[in-house]
Amino acid sequence: MSQQYSQQLLPECLENILSNLSETKDLYSCLMVNRFWCTVVIPYLWKYPFNIAGTSKERCNMITRTYLSCISEDSRKKLINVGINMSEFPRKPLFDYISYLQSLTIDQNTFDLVPLIFRLKNIKISSKTELQQKIQTMSANDKWIFELQKQSVEQELSKVLLRGCTKLHSLELYKCDFLSNFLKILSSSQQNNRSSSLYNNNNLLLLSSSSSSSSSSFSSSTSSSSSSSNSSNPLFYTLKEFSCGSLSDDKPTYDLLTIMTKNCKFINSIKIYDIISLKLGKVMASLVSSQNYLTCIELNYSNFYNFTTYEQIFQSLFDDQYNQIQLPPHLQKLYQSKKSSTSSINKKKNNLPPSLNRLKLTKTNLNNIQKHTLDYMIKKCNRLHTLELNNCVSINSLTPLQHSLTKLNNLKVICYEQDLNFITEFFQISNINLKNIYLGWKSNSLPQINSPSQLLFSNALNPISTNSSYNMEESFKRIQILTNHCTQVENLYLETIFPNELLLIFKSLVHLQKLSVTFNEQSNWDEHMEELGENIPKELQWIEIRNKKKLPFNVKGLKGFLEKVKGVNEDLELGFQNSQHSYLNVIKEYDFKINNYDFNW
């Protein structure tokens, strides 16, 4: 492309081109075309910098250094005073990188500032081992200086990041050293800003009462100042996705969630990991219930706890009364001036029917769940499209919820065999719109509650363990109910099944497009393979056989199956995890493709 033509492109046209580029390296190439292209491409690269960086600490450190170059002159002087070498940072970068930020992730990987501090002190570190040795061999005084420098950099970097938080679409916060300083700076800055505005408003009131003739001028100035302040969005105002985990139970964290509750009204997705504190749980609930467009809630725990530990958190997530949360004393004054006619508008919005369409619970012990908690869930989840219950205990307790899930499209359950009665009943009640079913189970004893080392599954995708307790009649009854009631299913994932069950699935689920199963290794599949091939659904695009070690049919049986499939569905693709060449050669002989996709339910 000639330079003259590239300069004639409108920015909107170029943005449309860039939005269709699939790889980041293409964007980097576009930077080198000319100055005009560079100015259009830079915002794209710096909208989601941490998504591009991924898990690479080196790339994350580069992003951190770039943001550090955007600090103010006062911040620059503070860092120089504590011994930080700022010579490698330009006083005024070419772009205001922080102004483009739309996705921020704060965790130990993205903001590990220890290597950066050594770099800023002109100390070269070649490996992680050398870094650890440097820290261990420091004297007490050197460690104190190092911590002071690290804290200073974290504070000044936090101030820069807060400037970008007015345009954020996605925010992820996980416990780490940097997050503690970030939240402290956030809390103090909000209080300082609010107290200064209250001071200015009080001065205006005093002046207006002392001079009636000047009241009009002051009112005009007040209106102009308010209009200018409204032109810039408050922190987190544009946020659409929020995720947090293992947050500290302290005042700065509580202040953050309270500020978000007041400023954020357009969040679509909230994901919560390991929130045990009732205080944090309640303010998190207030954040949930203050959203007008919330469509997804995920409540995840890494270990099992007694349900009473988080019963109130769980209940409050679905209880609208937390819209009226009582602010702590140190924050009450900050929001008194915001009470206006908008509160009536917000009340009308909050009275709208619930819009939640996706709910995910991970490692949640639902034993002894109280009736009023279920009532709140039933009220909030009557438009649910997707339900995920991953490694949960006592999901039978959610049986009353089933009748309200008539709009459910997607169901994913990984549970124990003891809880499969819930699934059987569910297929009969909430079956009208079900199109995607992921059902994993394991037949062993329930885990001990509140034991970090005891996990429900070592791997959710492992096949069911075959033992004498496995009831074949109950298994067939479950498949029979599924095929009788859930006739619109398109994607299906099941654990170990038997030949007669697979045949029933093939004959009944005519709209099936993707199927992932494990063949029971104790059954003789060879005598059923041809019949299975004859009855395979015509719309089936992909079938995955997950047996890795041993296949319960021989090469002749596979040939018989594929021969029949060829006449019914020649476009079928196979997911085949067994690496025996004799089987793979047969599949190639019949010209079927092998594609081991991840099951996308």
Side-chain angles (χ1 to χ4, degrees):
M1 182 183 292
S2 67
Q3 185 173 353
Q4 182 181 2
Y5 179 74
S6 65
Q7 288 178 339
Q8 290 175 351
L9 277 174
L10 291 172
E12 292 81 3
C13 295
L14 184 52
E15 287 174 4
N16 194 20
I17 294 171
L18 296 175
S19 64
N20 287 284
L21 294 179
S22 57
E23 296 189 16
T24 307
K25 63 180 182 181
D26 296 329
L27 287 173
Y28 285 114
S29 300
C30 293
L31 283 174
M32 311 307 294
V33 175
N34 56 34
R35 184 186 294 270
F36 169 68
W37 276 57
C38 183
T39 57
V40 178
V41 172
I42 282 291
Y44 270 85
L45 283 172
W46 287 91
K47 278 182 181 180
Y48 310 103
F50 298 105
N51 296 3
I52 295 173
T55 58
S56 170
K57 282 200 172 186
E58 184 179 352
R59 289 186 176 184
C60 289
N61 281 331
M62 289 174 63
I63 295 168
T64 305
R65 293 200 304 271
T66 303
Y67 283 146
L68 201 59
S69 68
C70 299
I71 62 176
S72 65
E73 191 61 32
D74 289 339
S75 297
R76 190 184 186 92
K77 289 177 181 177
K78 287 180 183 178
L79 295 183
I80 292 174
N81 289 338
V82 296
I84 298 297
N85 179 19
M86 299 294 292
S87 60
E88 70 171 275
F89 299 104
R91 289 188 176 274
K92 190 175 181 181
L94 292 174
F95 299 94
D96 186 15
Y97 297 98
I98 197 66
S99 64
Y100 310 128
L101 185 65
Q102 292 187 11
S103 177
L104 175 60
T105 300
I106 297 180
D107 58 23
Q108 195 58 45
N109 185 66
T110 55
F111 284 94
D112 182 9
L113 298 186
V114 174
L116 177 61
I117 303 302
F118 279 108
R119 178 188 174 99
L120 296 176
K121 295 176 68 175
N122 295 324
I123 300 175
K124 293 183 178 180
I125 303 293
S126 58
S127 66
K128 188 175 181 180
T129 305
E130 186 181 353
L131 178 65
Q132 293 173 347
Q133 290 175 349
K134 284 279 186 184
I135 295 173
Q136 291 173 359
T137 56
M138 280 183 180
S139 64
N141 185 57
D142 288 341
K143 281 185 179 179
W144 181 86
I145 295 173
F146 182 83
E147 287 298 324
L148 174 64
Q149 292 171 335
K150 178 172 171 288
Q151 186 175 11
S152 300
V153 172
E154 288 176 346
Q155 289 174 351
E156 302 310 321
L157 191 57
S158 297
K159 293 175 184 177
V160 174
L161 290 175
L162 284 175
R163 281 203 293 116
C165 286
T166 57
K167 295 182 180 180
L168 281 185
H169 290 175
S170 173
L171 177 63
E172 298 182 31
L173 302 176
Y174 299 96
K175 190 174 182 180
C176 63
D177 293 341
F178 179 78
L179 181 60
S180 301
N181 268 318
F182 177 80
L183 295 181
K184 288 175 185 176
I185 294 295
L186 168 63
S187 181
S188 61
S189 65
Q190 287 294 294
Q191 293 190 54
N192 291 337
N193 291 341
R194 182 60 63 177
S195 60
S196 63
S197 65
L198 288 175
Y199 175 77
N200 292 334
N201 288 338
N202 289 334
N203 282 345
L204 287 174
L205 289 172
L206 289 172
L207 288 169
S208 61
S209 63
S210 63
S211 176
S212 59
S213 60
S214 60
S215 61
S216 59
S217 63
F218 277 112
S219 62
S220 62
S221 66
T222 306
S223 62
S224 63
S225 63
S226 63
S227 63
S228 63
S229 63
N230 290 335
S231 63
S232 60
N233 292 331
L235 286 175
F236 313 118
Y237 180 77
T238 58
L239 203 62
K240 294 181 180 179
E241 297 178 0
F242 177 59
S243 177
C244 65
S246 304
L247 298 180
S248 300
D249 184 11
D250 54 19
K251 175 181 170 295
T253 305
Y254 187 73
D255 288 352
L256 163 73
L257 296 175
T258 305
I259 291 166
M260 290 181 65
T261 300
K262 291 296 177 181
N263 292 351
C264 303
K265 302 299 176 186
F266 309 106
I267 298 180
N268 297 323
S269 170
I270 295 180
K271 300 177 183 179
I272 305 167
Y273 297 84
D274 291 319
I275 298 294
I276 303 299
S277 162
L278 180 58
K279 184 179 179 182
L280 288 184
K282 284 188 174 182
V283 72
M284 186 69 74
S286 72
L287 175 64
V288 168
S289 57
S290 65
Q291 303 311 310
N292 299 321
Y293 302 97
L294 186 64
T295 59
C296 171
I297 294 179
E298 291 190 15
L299 182 63
N300 305 281
Y301 289 93
S302 57
N303 296 311
F304 288 104
Y305 298 90
N306 192 299
F307 189 66
T308 55
T309 305
Y310 47 79
E311 166 92 35
Q312 293 186 52
I313 298 173
F314 194 85
Q315 173 187 328
S316 59
L317 288 176
F318 302 95
D319 184 3
D320 288 332
Q321 70 171 318
Y322 287 95
N323 282 315
Q324 315 299 330
I325 190 169
Q326 181 66 33
L327 298 179
H330 70 281
L331 288 176
Q332 284 180 3
K333 292 182 179 180
L334 305 188
Y335 294 101
Q336 282 178 352
S337 61
K338 287 194 172 183
K339 292 182 179 179
S340 62
S341 59
T342 55
S343 61
S344 61
I345 298 173
N346 289 334
K347 285 182 180 179
K348 289 181 182 178
K349 288 183 178 180
N350 288 328
N351 287 331
L352 289 173
S355 58
L356 189 68
N357 64 35
R358 183 170 186 265
L359 175 65
K360 177 182 176 182
L361 304 177
T362 301
K363 280 196 177 177
T364 307
N365 174 23
L366 299 167
N367 190 28
N368 298 324
I369 185 171
Q370 297 181 20
K371 182 182 181 301
H372 57 269
T373 304
L374 274 174
D375 290 341
Y376 288 131
M377 288 185 68
I378 291 170
K379 176 184 175 184
K380 203 76 172 180
C381 297
N382 61 1
R383 294 186 178 185
L384 213 62
H385 289 176
T386 301
L387 175 64
E388 290 188 51
L389 302 173
N390 294 334
N391 299 351
C392 293
V393 176
S394 300
I395 63 173
N396 285 325
S397 302
L398 295 180
T399 300
L401 179 65
Q402 294 176 348
H403 293 276
S404 67
L405 301 180
T406 56
K407 298 184 182 297
L408 205 68
N409 293 137
N410 312 303
L411 174 67
K412 181 176 182 179
V413 179
I414 301 173
C415 65
Y416 284 110
E417 192 180 5
Q418 291 91 324
D419 278 331
L420 285 174
N421 288 336
F422 170 83
I423 304 301
T424 305
E425 293 181 18
F426 192 91
F427 290 153
Q428 298 178 71
I429 297 171
S430 305
N431 59 74
I432 301 174
N433 299 301
L434 270 178
K435 292 190 175 181
N436 305 297
I437 299 175
Y438 185 117
L439 180 56
W441 66 89
K442 201 168 186 178
S443 57
N444 55 4
S445 59
L446 294 171
Q448 294 180 356
I449 304 305
N450 202 19
S451 175
S453 61
Q454 183 91 23
L455 301 181
L456 186 58
F457 292 106
S458 57
N459 187 339
L461 300 183
N462 281 346
I464 191 171
S465 57
T466 306
N467 53 40
S468 58
S469 68
Y470 188 68
N471 192 322
M472 291 178 61
E473 291 183 7
E474 286 296 321
S475 175
F476 183 77
K477 180 182 177 183
R478 188 161 47 248
I479 298 298
Q480 197 171 33
I481 291 173
L482 187 156
T483 53
N484 286 340
H485 294 274
C486 306
T487 56
Q488 302 301 312
V489 170
E490 296 177 357
N491 301 306
L492 180 62
Y493 178 105
L494 294 172
E495 289 293 350
T496 301
I497 64 169
F498 296 86
N500 57 341
E501 295 174 348
L502 185 59
L503 184 61
L504 184 59
I505 289 171
F506 282 175
K507 288 182 176 182
S508 305
L509 303 182
V510 295
H511 301 293
L512 199 62
Q513 296 179 10
K514 291 183 180 180
L515 175 65
S516 178
V517 293
T518 300
F519 284 12
N520 179 271
E521 295 178 359
Q522 308 302 318
S523 302
N524 181 12
W525 284 79
D526 288 314
E527 60 188 32
H528 300 277
M529 294 299 282
E530 289 191 11
E531 187 179 8
L532 287 170
E534 289 175 349
N535 290 278
I536 199 160
K538 293 181 180 179
E539 294 184 22
L540 190 65
Q541 301 170 6
W542 177 74
I543 179 172
E544 179 185 39
I545 302 172
R546 298 196 304 273
N547 301 68
K548 292 183 179 180
K549 295 182 179 179
K550 180 182 177 183
L551 289 170
F553 52 83
N554 56 33
V555 172
K556 184 180 178 181
L558 180 60
K559 284 184 176 181
F561 173 74
L562 295 179
E563 184 71 39
K564 296 296 183 180
V565 170
K566 198 73 176 175
V568 179
N569 187 349
E570 60 181 8
D571 296 325
L572 181 70
E573 295 183 1
L574 299 176
F576 209 70
Q577 297 188 10
N578 190 286
S579 58
Q580 295 183 39
H581 291 291
S582 56
Y583 291 94
L584 298 178
N585 291 335
V586 169
I587 295 173
K588 291 178 180 178
E589 178 186 336
Y590 282 88
D591 200 26
F592 283 99
K593 292 182 180 179
I594 298 177
N595 283 317
N596 291 319
Y597 303 112
D598 288 332
F599 183 81
N600 184 7
W601 69 289

